[in-house]
Amino acid sequence: MLEVRHLRTLIALAEAGTVSRAAERVHLTQSALSHQLKALEAHYGVAMVRRHGQSVKLTEPGQRLVTLARTVMGEVRTAERDLTKLVRKPAGTLRIVLECHTCFDWLMPIMDAFRKHWPEVELDLVSGFHPNPLALLADNKTDLVIGSENKPRRGIVYHPLFRFEVLAVMPTDHRLKAKRYLAASDFAKETLITYPVPEERIDLIRRVLKPAKIHPRRRTTELTVAILQLVASRRGVAALPNWGIKNYVDYGYVIARRIGKSGLWSNLYGATTGEVARLPFVRDFLETARRECFAKLDGVVPVQ
Amino acid sequence: MLEVRHLRTLIALAEAGTVSRAAERVHLTQSALSHQLKALEAHYGVAMVRRHGQSVKLTEPGQRLVTLARTVMGEVRTAERDLTKLVRKPAGTLRIVLECHTCFDWLMPIMDAFRKHWPEVELDLVSGFHPNPLALLADNKTDLVIGSENKPRRGIVYHPLFRFEVLAVMPTDHRLKAKRYLAASDFAKETLITYPVPEERIDLIRRVLKPAKIHPRRRTTELTVAILQLVASRRGVAALPNWGIKNYVDYGYVIARRIGKSGLWSNLYGATTGEVARLPFVRDFLETARRECFAKLDGVVPVQ
DNA sequence: GAATATTGTGAATATCATTCATAATTCATG
DNA sequence: CATGAATTATGAATGATATTCACAATATTC
């Protein structure tokens, strides 16, 4: 019998492209999904996926069920939102601090959607640089901090968002363009173009270059597009999330390479106080962010 | 976590009005539904039903989930129809014989819906009187016989549709109008108005009057409205399904009374050959009929 | 107020989803 | 083409949890 659980996994499967990945996303084992699929196929007497070498592709019936799943899950979500609103009008505010500059790119559409679903909730983006963003939570100066920090602290709850790869961005004719991936030493003679934040906030420096005692020149600018412009015009190289530069790379504006053999990966968390974490609209915000990012952003995987 | 199963029971609950009835409909015990409800209410932290004396009424959140359930189940059904069509274009015919005259009333809308969902299937109503309709199945003269017969026969499968009460219909000023229910003897001096079919086909005669050796005068006519007209103008009494006369009774055109202390109940079955029973569109037809009748017809309950 | 209907609940049971362990398969690579 | 890494499939064991059972509590009807 078809259940919501099956719909969930079908969506995950459609978006992840492999059973194992999909399993991670719905917090089950690969085996569980395999069994679920088998049960579904037995029940309807049709193959839902076709193994195309490594990856799995949905068959036509599978596609049909995925579209069903998408609409159904959407309806379930709005119904559940209505439900929490019925319980108590959830007036409130949600003030967000971004530790990571690039996050603006994906956060905007999410905020737009949120405003539609929760018009009663005042949404605020606390901008500007903060030396210790998590302290703002305790001081009740903000409600949600989005960043890669997840050190346990009393009173603070971390909500894993997603995991992404940071790539080195270089001009198309760069001397290192032949390499599959860059080592720390490769950055020695380069100018590093970054956002104007302290070194500790830049993953590449903190986790790769500093341990290797390499200190390249730095040049800073505020906007992602500005960074890319500087890179394209050979003023230096940058390190940016793969989803932030995908379009520019596809277009041939710049090229991107791995950093280190297995890549430089970063986790993103939403941090709140325990109290805020319980607010229905906050939970909805985080859940929506997670879901939309997995669906829309390239190369994004679940945290750990 | 919300599952399709919960949606099913919510719909059943909304339509049945009591937990026990709803349980019958989804083929579970009352206890199971009680637990399900409790789990749902715990999960969302809201009461879904409010006990209003005997019957249960859905709360506002409950209502919201029922509307969700209705749309979701509708989408699931069309998706499943699409699925079976994807497997193999199900061209075919569905010829229906009606053993019961009144059934026209509810069958028409069902047939209309069916034509929409399965335009490739030719739908046929085999009309006229047949002495032994079930024999037509074996002879492949028809595909589906709808009647109250369910004696086991080799090669024939019975699909329970629903159970309904047959009421005595009388003019508003009838001498027996004060009685709560009519005994067999009450019919002795009456003229019985029926459809033009043999006595064995008329439940009241076969199951009540004949055993009591009572043989009232009979007068026949083809249409339900004609029967009601005759009754209203004091030409006799009739025995008809409660759902077929509800409107006329509510309007004060005629009155209706139980037959016997616990009423005269009748079961309706769809009979097919085992082969036909496996055809997806036949299964869909029967399922739709069942569902729609439970939802739209008054006083209809599951078979046994 | 007894008899009947229905609901709620904890414990027992049964069912079924999930995991575990492992074999089979595919793909990249030296 | 052998090897290893990564994936999927599958049967058996496990675990979770939905359902039933048994019964108390409550409401309803005559």
Side-chain angles (χ1 to χ4, degrees):
Chain A
M1 190 97 291
L2 187 71
E3 288 291 347
V4 172
R5 147 172 41 99
H6 299 121
L7 300 182
R8 270 186 229 286
T9 70
L10 279 174
I11 290 178
L13 205 60
E15 286 171 359
T18 103
V19 180
S20 320
R21 293 270 163 107
E24 275 194 332
R25 250 205 240 186
V26 293
H27 303 295
L28 290 174
T29 53
Q30 169 271 325
S31 178
L33 288 225
S34 192
H35 281 294
Q36 277 194 8
L37 267 179
K38 204 181 160 193
L40 262 188
E41 301 190 333
H43 181 247
Y44 289 111
V46 209
M48 296 298 171
V49 297
R50 177 146 298 147
R51 324 246 139 350
H52 238 97
Q54 194 88 295
S55 65
V56 292
K57 253 191 189 168
L58 288 151
T59 62
E60 210 176 343
Q63 290 281 11
R64 181 62 187 84
L65 281 193
V66 168
T67 55
L68 168 70
R70 291 235 164 84
T71 67
V72 166
M73 293 314 294
E75 280 156 0
V76 168
R77 273 192 295 276
T78 71
E80 289 183 334
R81 265 193 283 263
D82 289 354
L83 234 54
T84 71
K85 285 180 199 163
L86 276 177
V87 178
R88 179 164 24 94
K89 292 282 178 235
T93 50
L94 178 53
R95 295 160 298 176
I96 306 177
V97 167
L98 278 187
E99 240 186 283
C100 118
H101 264 72
T102 340
C103 291
F104 275 112
D105 295 349
W106 59 260
L107 197 62
M108 284 305 154
I110 309 247
M111 288 176 69
D112 292 344
F114 182 84
R115 261 187 277 265
K116 254 192 207 149
H117 293 141
W118 303 90
E120 326 74 23
V121 176
E122 202 173 316
L123 196 56
D124 232 344
L125 202 54
V126 183
S127 62
F129 171 73
H130 296 279
N132 183 9
L134 290 182
L136 297 173
L137 283 173
D139 298 352
N140 195 25
K141 290 272 185 8
T142 186
D143 304 301
L144 173 62
V145 174
I146 294 179
S148 51
E149 180 87 42
N150 75 330
K151 269 206 221 89
R153 273 166 217 241
R154 49 173 284 115
I156 291 189
V157 192
Y158 295 98
H159 312 269
L161 290 173
F162 54 84
R163 181 175 176 76
F164 60 93
E165 188 174 0
V166 177
L167 296 178
V169 191
M170 315 181 295
T172 49
D173 57 355
H174 195 273
R175 63 182 171 98
L176 296 170
K177 73 174 184 182
K179 299 196 79 169
R180 296 193 74 86
Y181 61 89
L182 305 190
S185 56
D186 290 327
F187 289 90
K189 294 175 186 164
E190 299 294 331
T191 297
L192 201 58
I193 301 169
T194 70
Y195 298 107
V197 296
E199 294 203 331
E200 304 79 48
R201 285 282 186 84
I202 298 167
D203 283 328
L204 174 63
I205 297 181
R206 195 183 68 247
R207 292 164 51 193
V208 178
L209 302 186
K210 207 161 186 183
K213 301 213 193 317
I214 290 171
H215 299 278
R217 277 184 304 279
R218 241 180 105 201
R219 178 166 175 181
T220 66
T221 182
E222 278 277 353
L223 298 171
T224 311
V225 282
I227 295 183
L228 284 160
Q229 244 162 35
L230 287 172
V231 168
S233 53
R234 302 191 207 59
R235 308 299 165 85
V237 301
L240 292 170
N242 52 352
W243 42 266
I245 55 172
K246 179 92 168 24
N247 286 336
Y248 301 94
V249 172
D250 288 350
Y251 185 69
Y253 190 59
V254 291
I255 59 175
R257 292 293 177 266
R258 282 221 140 157
I259 298 169
K261 185 162 187 183
S262 49
L264 174 60
W265 291 82
S266 210
N267 294 326
L268 222 48
Y269 300 87
T272 65
T273 63
E275 200 181 1
V276 170
R278 255 173 267 122
L279 294 172
F281 59 84
V282 173
R283 301 165 65 89
D284 188 41
F285 182 90
L286 289 166
E287 205 180 300
T288 309
R290 237 183 321 256
R291 188 180 53 253
E292 291 299 308
C293 286
F294 281 129
K296 305 264 167 68
L297 266 38
D298 277 291
V300 154
V301 300
V303 170
Q304 297 314 6
Chain B
M1 192 95 290
L2 187 71
E3 285 292 345
V4 172
R5 146 174 41 102
H6 299 119
L7 300 182
R8 271 187 229 285
T9 69
L10 280 173
I11 290 177
L13 205 61
E15 285 171 0
T18 100
V19 181
S20 322
R21 294 267 163 107
E24 274 193 334
R25 254 207 238 182
V26 293
H27 303 295
L28 288 174
T29 54
Q30 169 271 325
S31 181
L33 289 223
S34 193
H35 281 294
Q36 276 195 9
L37 268 179
K38 205 181 159 192
L40 262 187
E41 300 189 334
H43 182 247
Y44 289 112
V46 209
M48 296 298 171
V49 298
R50 177 147 297 150
R51 328 248 157 270
H52 241 95
Q54 191 90 298
S55 65
V56 291
K57 254 191 189 167
L58 288 151
T59 62
E60 208 176 342
Q63 291 280 12
R64 181 60 187 84
L65 280 193
V66 169
T67 55
L68 168 71
R70 291 235 164 83
T71 66
V72 165
M73 292 314 294
E75 280 157 1
V76 168
R77 273 192 295 275
T78 70
E80 289 182 334
R81 266 192 282 265
D82 290 353
L83 233 54
T84 71
K85 286 180 199 164
L86 276 177
V87 178
R88 178 166 21 95
K89 293 282 179 234
T93 50
L94 178 54
R95 296 159 298 174
I96 305 178
V97 167
L98 278 186
E99 241 186 282
C100 122
H101 264 72
T102 342
C103 291
F104 275 111
D105 295 348
W106 58 261
L107 197 61
M108 284 306 155
I110 309 253
M111 287 176 70
D112 291 344
F114 182 83
R115 261 188 276 265
K116 254 192 209 150
H117 292 141
W118 302 89
E120 326 75 21
V121 176
E122 202 173 316
L123 196 56
D124 231 344
L125 203 51
V126 183
S127 63
F129 170 75
H130 296 280
N132 183 11
L134 290 182
L136 297 174
L137 282 174
D139 299 352
N140 195 23
K141 289 271 187 1
T142 184
D143 304 301
L144 172 63
V145 175
I146 293 178
S148 51
E149 180 87 41
N150 73 331
K151 268 206 221 89
R153 273 166 217 242
R154 49 173 283 116
I156 290 189
V157 192
Y158 295 99
H159 312 270
L161 289 173
F162 54 85
R163 182 175 174 75
F164 61 93
E165 188 174 1
V166 177
L167 296 177
V169 190
M170 316 181 297
T172 49
D173 56 356
H174 195 274
R175 61 182 173 98
L176 296 170
K177 74 174 184 183
K179 299 196 80 171
R180 296 195 74 86
Y181 61 90
L182 305 191
S185 55
D186 290 327
F187 290 90
K189 295 175 184 164
E190 300 292 333
T191 299
L192 200 57
I193 301 169
T194 70
Y195 298 106
V197 296
E199 294 203 331
E200 305 77 47
R201 286 280 187 86
I202 298 167
D203 284 328
L204 174 63
I205 297 180
R206 195 184 70 247
R207 293 166 50 192
V208 178
L209 303 186
K210 206 162 188 183
K213 301 214 195 310
I214 290 170
H215 298 278
R217 278 185 304 281
R218 240 180 108 199
R219 177 166 176 183
T220 66
T221 181
E222 277 278 354
L223 297 171
T224 311
V225 283
I227 295 183
L228 284 160
Q229 242 160 37
L230 287 171
V231 168
S233 54
R234 301 192 210 56
R235 307 299 166 84
V237 301
L240 292 171
N242 52 355
W243 42 265
I245 56 174
K246 178 93 172 17
N247 286 336
Y248 301 94
V249 172
D250 288 349
Y251 186 69
Y253 189 60
V254 292
I255 59 175
R257 293 290 177 267
R258 284 223 137 155
I259 297 168
K261 187 165 185 182
S262 49
L264 174 60
W265 291 81
S266 210
N267 294 326
L268 221 49
Y269 299 87
T272 65
T273 62
E275 200 181 1
V276 170
R278 254 173 269 122
L279 293 172
F281 59 84
V282 173
R283 301 166 63 88
D284 189 40
F285 182 90
L286 290 167
E287 204 182 301
T288 308
R290 235 182 325 251
R291 188 180 53 251
E292 291 298 308
C293 287
F294 280 130
K296 304 265 167 67
L297 266 39
D298 277 293
V300 155
V301 300
V303 170
Q304 298 314 8

